[in-house]
Amino acid sequence: MFRFIRRLISLVVLLAVVVVGSNLYVVVAAAPHIEKDPESNSAKAMKPQCIMVLGAAVYPDGTPSPMLRERLDKGIELYEAGVAPKVLLSGDNGQIEYDELSVMKAYMLNAGIPERDIFTDHAGFCTYDSVYRASYIFEVKRMVVVTQKYHLYRALYGCRMKGIEAKGVACDKQKFAGSKYREFREVLARTKDFGKWFIKPDPKFLGHSIPIDGDGQLTNEGM
């Protein structure tokens, strides 16, 4: 019994070290690339090809959740400031009855962004897939990533591991309910992605190349 308890304690300690260590590594590696001033010369000097806005929940009535609206508003703000010439929307459209991309694109169009400048990635089922496909499908080499700060570390770490030069812009105008739960879940997600980027498995879906410097209307297929 004592031997079993000792082994159990050793396993728990090992798991704790892996989780804490991987999270610390991801955060430290990504932190210098989060912009304090998103419209600074630092972001523009990189000459990003696009602004990638990561998806979040949408409502059945076709409106973005408050968290997603913050991301979209920041992406629009950066586009209008001339930070990058294209917007890449990446989210979940894996089911007929759930489509983040249509909602996100409609929001951008309503803000006056030309359709040719809006690229939609319908298979961005997770942060890993979004970053991987940004490189593989859209041939992105430099970009600005927009999401809440707690999520930016993992996204920027993925960019680094995929060879994308990236800056992160946080959108945290308000504190949303359930933030403690999301932060806890993010700790586990960072550990998971740390392992995935070490192995680099292909995403669930890949496909043919659609260069980001082309016409975003080519990505309408699947909407």
Side-chain angles (χ1 to χ4, degrees):
M1 184 66 178
F2 177 73
R3 182 178 298 176
F4 171 76
I5 293 175
R6 187 172 61 183
R7 287 179 177 175
L8 182 61
I9 291 173
S10 298
L11 178 61
V12 170
V13 170
L14 177 61
L15 288 174
V17 169
V18 170
V19 170
V20 172
S22 59
N23 270 263
L24 183 61
Y25 188 85
V26 168
V27 170
V28 170
H33 304 287
I34 296 178
E35 287 290 308
K36 293 181 179 178
D37 179 6
E39 296 177 24
S40 69
N41 290 332
S42 168
K44 292 181 180 178
M46 185 181 67
K47 295 184 178 179
Q49 297 163 281
C50 68
I51 300 155
M52 183 166 78
V53 180
L54 294 169
V58 298
Y59 295 143
D61 65 357
T63 57
S65 62
M67 180 173 283
L68 179 57
R69 186 177 294 112
E70 276 199 355
R71 299 180 189 185
L72 293 166
D73 285 341
K74 180 58 68 174
I76 291 165
E77 178 186 330
L78 295 173
Y79 175 86
E80 292 179 341
V83 171
K86 305 288 182 179
V87 176
L88 173 57
L89 307 176
S90 186
D92 187 348
N93 184 199
Q95 304 174 47
I96 296 174
E97 64 274 14
Y98 185 76
D99 182 1
E100 292 177 0
L101 272 300
S102 290
V103 174
M104 294 169 74
K105 183 172 182 178
Y107 195 92
M108 290 278 174
L109 290 171
N110 288 337
I113 296 183
E115 189 172 15
R116 66 180 178 276
D117 291 342
I118 304 173
F119 285 72
T120 50
D121 179 6
H122 299 265
F125 302 127
C126 63
T127 306
Y128 177 88
D129 287 6
S130 293
V131 173
Y132 195 114
R133 285 172 55 83
S135 171
Y136 187 95
I137 301 294
F138 300 100
E139 300 181 4
V140 174
K141 295 179 174 60
R142 301 176 308 280
M143 69 179 175
V144 172
V145 182
V146 175
T147 185
Q148 279 71 30
K149 189 173 183 178
Y150 79 94
H151 186 203
L152 266 180
Y153 299 107
R154 181 160 53 107
L156 290 173
Y157 178 75
C159 290
R160 173 182 172 179
M161 295 301 291
K162 193 58 182 169
I164 299 174
E165 185 180 358
K167 296 284 187 180
V169 174
C171 47
D172 294 287
K173 288 186 177 180
Q174 59 179 305
K175 194 173 182 65
F176 298 102
S179 60
K180 294 297 183 183
Y181 168 72
R182 279 191 297 275
E183 288 169 6
F184 170 75
R185 189 176 64 178
E186 184 65 17
V187 167
L188 302 179
R190 287 185 197 131
T191 301
K192 179 191 70 175
D193 277 14
F194 180 84
K196 287 183 75 172
W197 283 115
F198 182 77
I199 301 170
K200 292 187 178 177
D202 287 344
K204 186 174 182 179
F205 295 108
L206 285 174
H208 63 277
S209 174
I210 308 174
I212 196 70
D213 57 0
D215 189 338
Q217 294 177 93
L218 294 175
T219 62
N220 286 343
E221 182 181 351
M223 290 190 66

